Amino acid sequence: QSALTQPASVSGSPGQSITIPCTGTSSDVGDYNSVSWYQQHPGKAPKVMIYDVSNRPSGVSNRFSGSKSGNTASLTISGLQAEDEADYYCSSYISSTVVFGGGTKLTVL
Amino acid sequence: EVQLVQSGAEVKKPGESLKISCKGSGYSFTSYWIGWVRQMPGKGLEWMGIIYPGDSDTRYSPSFQGQVTISADKSISTAYLQWSSLKASDTAMYYCARQDLWGQGTLVTVSS
C-alpha cells in the first residue's frame, strides 16, 4: 500500500492557525475512522496528538484538532506557539495494517 | 502512570540475532493492541506490525512479513520484536506504540 500524502513543509506565525492535510484513498482514510496524528521533535519519540480522526489523548492541548472529509484528514493547530515547531505524521488503518504519511515539517516563523 | 518502556540501545554485527522488548504498565496490557514502528536515520515512520497480547493475534506489514517476529508475554506485560539474522539495513530506531501512547524507542545499530 502507498504512503499517505502530506506536504513536506508548512509554516505559520505565532498565534496563527495552520492546517496540515493528509490525503489517502477510499481504501484507507476514506474507509476507516482510524486516522491518527503524531508530533515528533528532533531526537524525541513521536507523541500521539490525535487518534480516531478527532480524539485527543489526555494531556494534549485543545489547540490541536483533527477532522476528515472524504479521503483527506486534517490536523489543525490554533494559536501557534514556538514549541509546536516539529515534524508531524499522519497514519491510517487499512485492511489489518497501518500506513503512515511521509511527514510534514512545521516551522513557526 | 500509563507507560510503555522499551529496552536499551543495541549494537550488533550482521548475521546476529536480536530481541528487543516493550513493557507496558499502568493499564490492562491484554486489552490494547501494541504495534512496532521503524524509523531509519533521518527518515519517516514505517509501520511494521501489531499484536494483541490478549490472544497473541499478530498482523504484519507486507514489507516486514518474514523479516521480523512480533510476540508478547502477557504474564509480564511485555511485547517483543525480534530478528534472526540482522543486516546493516536494520540500523534504525524502533518504537512500540499503543493507539494513544508510544515508547521511548530502542536504537539498533548493526555494523561489522
Side-chain angles (χ1 to χ4, degrees):
Chain A
Q1 53 273 50
S2 301
L4 306 176
T5 300
Q6 299 180 233
S9 63
V10 298
S11 62
S13 299
Q16 286 185 331
S17 293
I18 64 96
T19 295
I20 301 174
C22 169
T23 302
T25 70
S26 57
S27 298
D28 40 57
V29 174
D31 200 26
Y32 300 95
N33 287 324
S34 298
V35 175
S36 297
W37 288 91
Y38 313 90
Q39 176 193 66
Q40 187 177 34
H41 289 108
K44 301 294 187 182
K47 175 184 176 183
V48 181
M49 307 306 284
I50 297 288
Y51 67 94
D52 288 350
V53 177
S54 59
N55 292 302
R56 274 188 308 274
S58 174
V60 172
S61 170
N62 59 11
R63 297 187 298 106
F64 292 82
S65 62
S67 62
K68 189 185 85 166
S69 177
N71 298 336
T72 299
S74 298
L75 173 70
T76 298
I77 309 173
S78 59
L80 209 56
Q81 299 179 1
E83 69 215 45
D84 299 331
E85 184 162 296
D87 292 326
Y88 291 84
Y89 296 88
C90 62
S91 73
S92 174
Y93 179 84
I94 168 174
S95 186
S96 298
T97 65
V98 172
V99 61
F100 282 101
T104 297
K105 181 175 180 57
L106 169 61
T107 300
V108 181
L109 302 170
Chain B
E1 180 189 6
V2 177
Q3 54 182 350
L4 297 172
V5 178
Q6 299 185 229
S7 50
E10 301 274 1
V11 179
K12 291 290 190 179
K13 291 181 166 36
E16 291 186 334
S17 62
L18 176 64
K19 191 174 189 178
I20 62 175
S21 66
C22 168
K23 183 174 177 60
S25 62
Y27 72 99
S28 175
F29 184 73
T30 54
S31 300
Y32 291 82
W33 290 85
I34 294 284
W36 286 94
V37 177
R38 182 176 78 174
Q39 188 169 37
M40 300 178 77
K43 302 298 184 182
L45 305 174
E46 300 174 271
W47 190 79
M48 303 176 72
I50 199 165
I51 187 166
Y52 189 74
D55 61 7
S56 292
D57 184 5
T58 308
R59 325 272 175 90
Y60 292 93
S61 161
S63 300
F64 291 93
Q65 178 83 48
Q67 307 305 307
V68 297
T69 301
I70 293 171
S71 61
D73 184 340
K74 60 185 179 183
S75 69
I76 55 172
S77 301
T78 301
Y80 301 97
L81 177 66
Q82 68 180 87
W83 296 259
S84 58
S85 181
L86 286 160
K87 303 184 284 289
S89 57
D90 292 318
T91 294
M93 183 72 82
Y94 293 88
Y95 296 100
C96 64
R98 211 178 75 166
Q99 184 184 39
D100 57 348
L101 177 70
W102 285 47
Q104 84 278 17
T106 296
L107 179 62
V108 174
T109 303
V110 184
S111 174
S112 55

